[in-house]
Structure formats: C-alpha cells, structure tokens
C-alpha cells in the first residue's frame, strides 16, 4: 500500500519529536546527575589525585579516609537523628496546618477568601531573605510589644532555637507553605460535595467530617506535602542558621566542614584537602534523601498528579 505524503510527514514529525524529546531528557538528566557524580568521585579521592591532571572521575588513590574524618568530626549519628526528628516534626506540623487552611479556603465561603488565598500564594514570590530579619527580631524578643513595634526590638522572651521553626510550621506560615496550601486546596476543591453532605446528614460536625471523611481519602496528597516539607526542611539553611543557630543538625555545619576540619588539623585550606572533605560531607548529607526517594517515589508521583499542578 502506497504511503501518502501526509502520512509520511506525520510519521517523520513524530520521529523527529521523539528524538528531540529523548535528547532533551538525557541532557536534563545529565545536568542533574553530573554534579552528583563529581562530588561522589571527589569524596573517594586522595590528596594526590587533586594535582594529577589525568584523574577525572575514577580516583587513582581510592580512600575512605574522607568519610571517616567527616563522620567523626560532625558526629554523624547524632546529627542524623536530630535532623530526622527536626524535619519530620516540621513536616508533620506543616501537613496538618496547611490541610486545615486549604480545606477552609476550598470549602467554606467567607468574605475575603480570595484575598487570603492570594496572600498565601504571594508568599511564594517573596524571597525568604526579605523577611528573615524581621522574623528573627520578633522571636529574639517575643512579646506583644515586639509584634506591633514595626521592627523595633522591645522587651520580650528569647525564643530563638527549635521553637520558632515549630511555631511557623504549626501556623502554616513556614517555608514554602503557600505551595502546600495551593496543592491541597486544588485537591479539596475537586472533591465531590456529596461526601460532606452525607456526613452532615449522619450527624457529623464540620471538623469531624474533615478528620474522618475527607482526610482518609487525601492520604496520598497529605503524604506528598509531608515529603516535600521534610526534604525542604532537611535542605534549609537560612531559617535554621538564623532562628536556631545552635541546633545540632546537618544544616548548621555542612557548608563549612572542610575548612573546620582543616582548622582543627592545622592544615591550610589552600591545600585542597578541604574540598575532598566537603564532597564526602555532601554525599553523607544527601544520601538519606536518595534512599527515602527510592521508597516513596510512587506516593510522591500520585500526590503530584492529584494536586492538579500537572495536567
């Protein structure tokens, strides 16, 4: 059977689009993976490999000393446990508070609902560096006088430490909470109202309906929000270093491990050994997240699909 010009042109365009899409995906994947491969390679290098131009990804002087040094210096088991507890606590509080806020915006009609939702989305546009100083001043001297003093430090209670991070998470005003509210609102808005109407007929109040009828069906969506909050809290440096500088987690030490080890060992940083320590520290830092993603990938993708962000 003779192939028409239209069919041939359509098949040619499909093949061309497939090739372009494949090349694009491979290029994006390489751009993401390449820095990780370089860090992984550097973490196993000896100091001799730094000055050998023939060494690129495969070290000639393979060693685990970088990991051993970093593990002992930062007390990895303690910081790992503290980081998990801190990120999980913030993630759970954010998932709970953002679910309540999103459900109220999606289901209840009140004056100014659109303005409140717009303000929640507006927080995504404002860089956190813009408001971190005012937040620090508020928690540094927490009290009614400081809250309404427009940046002037007044007498109050010093709350700097883990508490500000937990308070921000519990009130849906923490890092990236505008995104979580948007995702959950889109999900709640698309739910059939018959679920709630049937619960009201059976005598359930609004909060009980939300807790026992709506939330069980939103488990995957809520889990996705928790995972996003967990990962972002794990990676956050600005809030931790500003509001809880003494918190014994990875974020407070991971950015300068190499220089700190060199200083403690009386090694000049220009020797390059600090870069190898930093590479090992970074691999130890992101390894738990990579392992976590392997187990929760399906839940994460399902939640994103249900949020309405992708079509």
């Amino acid at each position: 059977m003779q192939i028409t010009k239209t069919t041939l042109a359509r098949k040619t365009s499909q093949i061309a689009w497939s090739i372009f899409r494949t090349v694009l995906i491979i290029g994006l994947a390489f751009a993401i993976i390449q820095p990780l491969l370089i860090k992984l390679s550097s973490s196993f290098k000896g100091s001799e490999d730094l000055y050998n131009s023939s060494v690129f990804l495969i070290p000639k002087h393979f060693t685990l000393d970088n990991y051993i040094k970093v593990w002992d210096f930062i007390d990895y088991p303690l910081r790992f446990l503290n980081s998990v507890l801190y990120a999980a606590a913030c993630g759970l509080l954010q998932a709970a508070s953002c679910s309540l806020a999103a459900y109220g915006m999606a289901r209840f009609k009140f004056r100014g609902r659109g303005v409140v939702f717009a303000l929640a989305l507006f927080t995504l546009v404002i860089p956190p560096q813009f408001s971190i100083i005012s937040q620090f001043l508020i928690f540094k001297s927490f009290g009614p006088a400081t809250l309404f003093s427009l940046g002037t430090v007044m007498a109050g209670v010093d709350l700097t430490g883990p508490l500000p991070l937990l308070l921000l998470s519990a009130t849906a005003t923490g890092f990236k909470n505008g995104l979580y509210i948007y995702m959950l609102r889109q999900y709640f808005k698309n739910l059939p109202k018959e679920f709630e109407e049937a619960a009201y007929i059976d005598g359930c109040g609004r909060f009980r309906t939300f807790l026992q009828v709506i939330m069980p069906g939103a488990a995957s969506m809520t889990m996705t929000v928790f995972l996003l909050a967990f990962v972002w809290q794990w990676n956050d440096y600005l809030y931790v270093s500003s509001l809880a500088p003494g918190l014994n987690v990875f974020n407070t030490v991971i950015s300068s491990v190499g220089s700190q080890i060199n200083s403690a060992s009386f090694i000049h940083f220009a020797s390059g050994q600090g870069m190898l320590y930093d590479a090992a520290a970074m691999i130890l830092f992101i390894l738990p997240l990579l392992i976590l993603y392997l187990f929760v990938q399906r839940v994460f993708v399902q939640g994103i699909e249900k949020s309405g962000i992708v079509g």
Side-chain angles (χ1 to χ4, degrees), residues 82-110:
N82 290 342
S83 299
V84 170
L85 293 177
Y86 149 71
C90 291
L92 288 173
L93 289 174
Q94 290 181 26
S97 60
C98 291
S99 296
L100 283 170
Y103 183 72
M105 295 178 192
R107 289 309 206 193
F108 299 141
K109 294 183 179 180
F110 54 89

Side-chain angles (χ1 to χ4, degrees), residues 112-145:
R113 179 179 64 168
V115 176
V116 174
F117 181 61
L119 291 175
L121 293 181
F122 188 66
T123 59
L124 297 176
V125 190
I126 302 176
Q129 294 84 354
F130 182 81
S131 59
I132 193 65
I133 296 178
S134 60
Q135 289 179 341
F136 172 77
L137 294 176
I138 289 174
F139 287 113
K140 186 66 177 179
S141 300
F142 189 81

Side-chain angles (χ1 to χ4, degrees), residues 270-292:
S271 65
Q273 185 65 44
M275 294 187 297
L276 304 182
Y277 292 145
D278 287 335
M282 190 57 62
I283 295 298
L284 290 175
F285 176 71
I286 67 175
L287 184 61
L289 297 182
L290 296 177
I291 296 174
L292 176 66

Side-chain angles (χ1 to χ4, degrees), residues 27-41 56-57:
L28 292 175
F30 176 77
I32 295 173
I33 297 176
Q34 190 247 4
L36 179 61
L37 293 178
I38 292 178
K39 286 289 184 182
L40 183 63
S41 172
F56 180 54
L57 284 179

Side-chain angles (χ1 to χ4, degrees), residues 16 18 105 148 301 305:
S18 299
M105 295 178 192
F148 301 101
V301 173
E305 290 176 350

Side-chain angles (χ1 to χ4, degrees), residues 234-277:
W234 184 278
N235 293 324
D236 171 61
Y237 175 76
L238 179 65
Y239 280 86
V240 174
S241 60
S242 302
L243 302 179
L247 199 61
N248 196 14
V249 294
F250 287 133
N251 312 65
T252 57
V253 72
I254 205 69
S255 62
S256 58
V257 170
S259 59
Q260 293 182 47
I261 295 178
N262 282 345
S263 299
S265 304
F266 301 101
I267 301 175
H268 195 270
F269 186 71
S271 65
Q273 185 65 44
M275 294 187 297
L276 304 182
Y277 292 145

Side-chain angles (χ1 to χ4, degrees), residues 44-272:
F44 292 110
K45 288 181 180 179
S47 57
E48 302 88 347
D49 293 334
L50 288 173
Y51 310 102
N52 190 341
S53 59
S54 64
V55 175
F56 180 54
L57 284 179
I58 302 177
K60 291 185 176 180
H61 299 83
F62 185 89
T63 179
L64 295 176
D65 290 342
N66 299 327
Y67 285 98
I68 296 174
K69 195 77 172 181
V70 171
W71 183 285
D72 294 335
F73 183 80
I74 67 175
D75 194 3
Y76 187 86
L78 178 61
R79 288 188 183 271
F80 172 78
L81 179 61
N82 290 342
S83 299
V84 170
L85 293 177
Y86 149 71
C90 291
L92 288 173
L93 289 174
Q94 290 181 26
S97 60
C98 291
S99 296
L100 283 170
Y103 183 72
M105 295 178 192
R107 289 309 206 193
F108 299 141
K109 294 183 179 180
F110 54 89
R111 184 173 297 178
R113 179 179 64 168
V115 176
V116 174
F117 181 61
L119 291 175
L121 293 181
F122 188 66
T123 59
L124 297 176
V125 190
I126 302 176
Q129 294 84 354
F130 182 81
S131 59
I132 193 65
I133 296 178
S134 60
Q135 289 179 341
F136 172 77
L137 294 176
I138 289 174
F139 287 113
K140 186 66 177 179
S141 300
F142 189 81
T146 305
L147 290 175
F148 301 101
S149 61
L150 299 179
T152 305
V153 179
M154 308 290 288
V157 182
D158 186 2
L159 296 183
T160 53
L163 192 57
L165 304 169
L166 298 176
L167 288 175
L168 291 173
S169 300
T171 54
T173 55
F175 186 54
K176 298 290 185 180
N177 282 187
L179 175 62
Y180 308 152
I181 292 174
Y182 170 74
M183 294 172 59
L184 289 163
R185 176 186 176 272
Q186 294 303 108
Y187 175 80
F188 291 139
K189 194 175 181 180
N190 294 327
L191 288 178
K193 294 184 178 180
E194 287 76 11
F195 292 158
E196 295 152 303
E197 293 173 354
Y200 295 153
I201 293 175
D202 291 339
C204 293
R206 291 183 174 180
F207 182 74
R208 185 180 176 185
T209 300
F210 168 74
L211 198 62
Q212 297 184 355
V213 178
I214 301 299
M215 287 305 295
S220 61
M221 187 71 247
T222 308
M223 179 60 69
T224 301
V225 169
F226 167 75
L227 292 174
L228 288 175
F230 182 92
V231 172
W232 271 322
Q233 291 296 334
W234 184 278
N235 293 324
D236 171 61
Y237 175 76
L238 179 65
Y239 280 86
V240 174
S241 60
S242 302
L243 302 179
L247 199 61
N248 196 14
V249 294
F250 287 133
N251 312 65
T252 57
V253 72
I254 205 69
S255 62
S256 58
V257 170
S259 59
Q260 293 182 47
I261 295 178
N262 282 345
S263 299
S265 304
F266 301 101
I267 301 175
H268 195 270
F269 186 71
S271 65

